[in-house]
Amino acid sequence: MTDHELALNAVRLRQRLLRLIANAGAGHTGGDLSCLDILNVLYHRVLRVSPATRDDPDRDRYVQSKGHCVEALYVVLSSCGFFPDADLDTVCRFRSPYVGHPTRKIPGIEMNTGALGHGLPVCLGMALAAKMDGRSARVFTLLGDGELAEGSNWEAAMAAAHHGLDNLTAILDHNTLQITGPTREVMSNEPVGDKFRAFGWEVREIDGHNYAALTRALTDPPGRGKPTFLIANTIKGKGVSFMENVAKWHHGVPSEAELALALGELEAAEAAMRFTS
Amino acid sequence: MSAPASSLFTPEALAMAEKLGLGKGRANLDEFAATLGDLARADRNILAVTSDSRGSGKLAPFGHALPGQLVEVGIAEQNLVGIVAGLAASGKKPFGVSPACFLTARSLEQIKNDVCYSDVPAVLVGISAGVSYGALGSTHHSLHDFAVLRAIHNLAILAPADNFETREGVRATARSSGPVYLRFGKVPLFDLHGPDATFETGSAITLCGGNDVAFIATGETVVHARLAAGQLSEAGVKARVLSMHTIKPLDVDAVLRAGRECRAVITVEEHSVHGGLGEACAAVLLQSGVAVGFRIVGIPDEDTVTGSQADIFRHYGISMEGLAMVAWNLLAL
Ligand SMILES: [Mg+2]
């Protein structure tokens, strides 16, 4: 996919995402929109995994530590063909396997997450297993910035560097907001890059909505013997004007009118993109 | 304040062990480490994962012999369980070994989500469990682990009583496709089984038959129940002793048979009287309409008495003498 095709895919996925959340009556809208471009690049450009290879021991792994943004993962996995789009109409319904956090019952999902601070330790185990077996598989996780207050992340940060896991990349969805408000005010993690550098990681920082930058940062060879910490600077609610940088959209569900307004904006953006192609 | 008890067994209990022909075993933890080493030599996917606990887990020889199969994570139990889950999700058979007190409290959420809910074939080994750490105090006791782990779906819970149960339990665990918790103390005890014994996860082993009273005991308290049965037998009371090495899935049939066939049932565990083997058995019996004299012997819900493991056992009646007394009292009702 070209950058333009990825962008076109993203604007469509944002529409699908909002319809999904409105239909489910639940979702973490703001964070879904902030991490969607990262997932779009990961699954369409970086990860060596597909519906056909989802059980291949050599596949790359992605574990979404910020599990509450599962709706973004659902729409991206569906766009890759892991399951039919119609499944997403069942999200959060009685007896549906598509619950409000990732589970391994869904094709393409590697680990059940949702409680924060679990993804990085689990990915350490996966990265260690790949090293032991001499496999080239890479392991990725996505962390929220509010999530970094969980101490288990720092246990894992220490251990990943100690074990020299250069096949491990932790991506920070650095939207600087969490449910209560700005992360700097709730529990500052800054300077987060310096902290991970001090723990022995290679730290990269990019615009988390820029496809070329994301691709480079996720595919450039890692520092030898060092895990990679990628700070992806993002905008919570990205792509919908009235949701951007507004903490209340953390798990806000759009009303019918808000959904129409948001879809209108995204359809206009899609039309403009088609026109420029 | 008296001097610490030097042994879990009084001279009379030791004499009874000799009379019953119980041979001396090594610590179950040593048996675990040796069995794991044997299994790991034959299967490179079997790993030991430690939190600065290879010494207390008796795994130093394992680490020397198979350095590529021992993963050290430092003193970080949450990280240990997460790593174990990730390894298990990637085709490994990891045994995460850490003191039971830390492993099953500090990392409980990792056990619940990363291991059980995610359904990966990880093994959690709680060492120095119960009051094994004795006088180190309640920070180091695990009297809650059965209770909290029983309430989590998708976890087998094993507490072997002797070297045979340990060896067979570890082998069965290595073959298991689901999550398992293994619980070990650290002192050498007695061998309780004859050469014909068989082990199956989820099936209690009857150590001796009898219909007056049944002891349903688990882990390293089973030996005391066996000795109490010996003492009772000399007074003409026939006691059945079940080694309930698997707390979950519980051998419901064996519990019901004991309740229906005996006049009294006494459960024994190195655990809080809340939420462990005793309450599990009580629920089985009551919900099947079995009314029988019943006592739960364990650690009561109080500030645990201080002292060595032997002191604590004796204080709460987890001893040949204490258990025989409970049986007498119950049968006299
Ligand atoms: Mg955030």
Side-chain angles (χ1 to χ4, degrees):
Chain A
M1 273 193 193
T2 63
D3 286 359
H4 185 266
E5 284 165 336
L6 272 180
L8 200 56
N9 193 46
V11 78
R12 288 173 184 150
L13 291 178
R14 283 190 162 85
Q15 295 169 58
R16 182 67 188 98
L17 174 69
L18 293 174
R19 284 201 306 274
L20 183 163
I21 290 169
N23 180 63
H28 288 80
T29 313
D32 281 330
L33 291 167
S34 76
C35 71
L36 187 114
D37 291 317
I38 298 167
L39 296 185
N40 195 21
V41 170
L42 268 175
Y43 276 93
H44 289 288
R45 271 201 179 151
V46 179
L47 295 176
R48 293 171 308 163
V49 64
S50 69
T53 62
R54 68 185 170 90
D55 295 320
D56 184 337
D58 287 316
R59 72 190 182 281
D60 290 341
R61 265 72 162 188
Y62 169 73
V63 173
Q64 188 159 309
S65 195
K66 50 175 293 183
H68 53 285
C69 292
V70 71
E71 299 85 13
L73 181 59
Y74 283 158
V75 299
V76 170
L77 287 175
S78 173
S79 81
C80 294
F82 281 94
F83 47 81
D85 177 78
D87 283 12
L88 297 179
D89 294 336
T90 73
V91 171
C92 291
R93 294 292 156 86
F94 181 57
R95 291 195 184 283
S96 169
Y98 292 84
V99 298
H101 289 95
T103 78
R104 300 173 76 215
K105 290 186 179 140
I106 307 303
I109 292 185
E110 298 281 357
M111 210 65 188
N112 299 14
T113 53
L116 297 174
H118 288 242
L120 195 52
V122 164
C123 285
L124 246 74
M126 293 177 170
L128 273 167
K131 288 267 181 199
M132 284 177 183
D133 291 346
R135 299 184 194 281
S136 60
R138 296 180 67 197
V139 183
F140 298 82
T141 188
L142 181 70
L143 305 165
D145 45 6
E147 177 180 7
L148 284 183
E150 292 283 6
S152 47
N153 288 307
W154 301 98
E155 293 184 3
M158 193 181 279
H162 177 84
H163 284 285
L165 298 177
D166 51 17
N167 54 349
L168 173 67
T169 298
I171 307 163
L172 181 67
D173 182 6
H174 196 228
N175 59 31
T176 71
L177 285 176
Q178 58 191 99
I179 194 164
T180 301
T183 298
R184 272 176 195 277
E185 290 173 16
V186 179
M187 183 48 62
S188 175
N189 55 42
E190 303 296 347
V192 67
D194 289 346
K195 287 175 184 166
F196 272 83
R197 224 172 268 119
F199 271 72
W201 290 55
E202 171 157 315
V203 175
R204 298 172 181 175
E205 181 160 5
I206 48 128
D207 171 356
H209 300 298
N210 180 311
Y211 295 122
L214 274 167
T215 306
R216 234 182 357 263
L218 291 167
T219 53
D220 275 359
R224 197 168 159 67
K226 285 185 171 189
T228 302
F229 187 68
L230 175 59
I231 302 170
N233 292 311
T234 57
I235 295 170
K236 203 156 179 174
K238 171 73 176 178
V240 178
S241 63
F242 59 92
M243 294 180 177
E244 289 192 358
N245 288 318
V246 180
K248 77 155 188 165
W249 283 104
H250 176 84
H251 58 357
V253 176
S255 67
E256 223 169 284
E258 287 165 334
L259 178 65
L261 204 60
L263 291 177
E265 284 187 15
L266 291 165
E267 282 160 12
E270 183 183 345
M273 265 181 220
R274 280 221 213 85
F275 187 69
T276 58
S277 65
Chain B
M1 265 170 260
S2 50
S6 55
S7 162
L8 285 163
F9 306 97
T10 58
E12 294 74 21
L14 290 172
M16 178 56 68
E18 197 169 337
K19 202 176 292 179
L20 294 173
L22 305 182
K24 285 212 172 86
R26 56 175 164 177
N28 286 342
L29 200 52
D30 286 311
E31 187 70 22
F32 154 74
T35 307
L36 190 67
D38 291 344
L39 292 167
R41 260 185 289 278
D43 179 354
R44 67 184 183 87
N45 283 324
I46 290 181
L47 311 174
V49 185
T50 54
S51 54
D52 197 22
S53 49
R54 80 181 70 187
S56 42
K58 310 285 185 179
L59 289 166
F62 182 111
H64 285 126
L66 302 163
Q69 287 170 251
L70 188 143
V71 179
E72 179 58 68
V73 307
I75 305 169
E77 293 81 10
Q78 297 180 65
N79 199 31
L80 175 131
V81 177
I83 287 173
V84 159
L87 288 164
S90 303
K92 298 295 177 187
K93 187 75 185 181
F95 285 64
V97 182
S98 190
C101 52
F102 311 130
L103 182 66
T104 64
R106 191 179 203 111
S107 345
L108 185 60
E109 191 180 75
Q110 280 76 14
I111 295 175
K112 167 180 170 265
N113 295 341
D114 305 349
V115 173
C116 299
Y117 182 42
S118 294
D119 189 22
V120 294
V123 184
L124 303 162
V125 184
I127 60 174
S128 303
V131 294
S132 294
Y133 279 124
L136 296 191
S138 286
T139 50
H140 283 59
H141 296 168
S142 57
L143 299 175
H144 63 282
D145 48 346
F146 291 157
V148 296
L149 298 177
R150 278 181 65 225
I152 294 173
H153 170 62
N154 194 30
L155 182 67
I157 303 172
L158 269 65
D162 72 348
N163 293 172
F164 165 77
E165 290 185 14
T166 297
R167 193 162 57 248
E168 294 304 317
V170 171
R171 285 177 182 161
T173 295
R175 292 190 299 269
S176 167
S177 59
V180 180
Y181 174 64
L182 292 170
R183 188 198 215 233
F184 296 114
K186 59 182 193 177
V187 293
L189 297 168
F190 290 95
D191 290 323
L192 300 172
H193 297 282
D196 305 331
T198 58
F199 180 96
E200 195 186 333
T201 304
S203 296
I205 303 176
T206 303
L207 292 180
C208 59
N211 288 344
D212 291 326
V213 59
F215 289 106
I216 305 178
T218 190
E220 301 185 8
T221 68
V222 175
V223 60
H224 302 285
R226 180 66 193 89
L227 297 175
Q231 196 183 47
L232 289 165
S233 131
E234 293 189 339
V237 174
K238 293 192 169 48
R240 176 184 309 193
V241 178
L242 298 181
S243 177
M244 194 61 81
H245 49 71
T246 308
I247 297 292
K248 197 179 173 189
L250 190 68
D251 188 342
V252 169
D253 291 340
V255 173
L256 286 176
R257 272 198 306 278
R260 287 181 176 132
E261 294 166 6
C262 302
R263 288 161 56 206
V265 172
I266 299 163
T267 64
V268 196
E269 60 201 303
E270 187 180 354
H271 185 273
S272 167
V273 294
H274 291 321
L277 173 67
E279 287 191 352
C281 292
V284 165
L285 293 169
L286 201 55
Q287 292 185 95
S288 294
V290 178
V292 62
F294 187 81
R295 284 289 181 280
I296 296 173
V297 177
I299 309 296
D301 183 14
E302 65 182 30
D303 192 9
T304 305
V305 72
T306 55
S308 68
Q309 182 185 34
D311 289 327
I312 296 170
F313 268 40
R314 201 159 303 166
H315 177 78
Y316 292 121
I318 304 174
S319 61
M320 176 180 79
E321 295 83 357
L323 294 175
M325 187 64 73
V326 174
W328 281 120
N329 290 339
L330 207 47
L331 291 171
L333 287 178

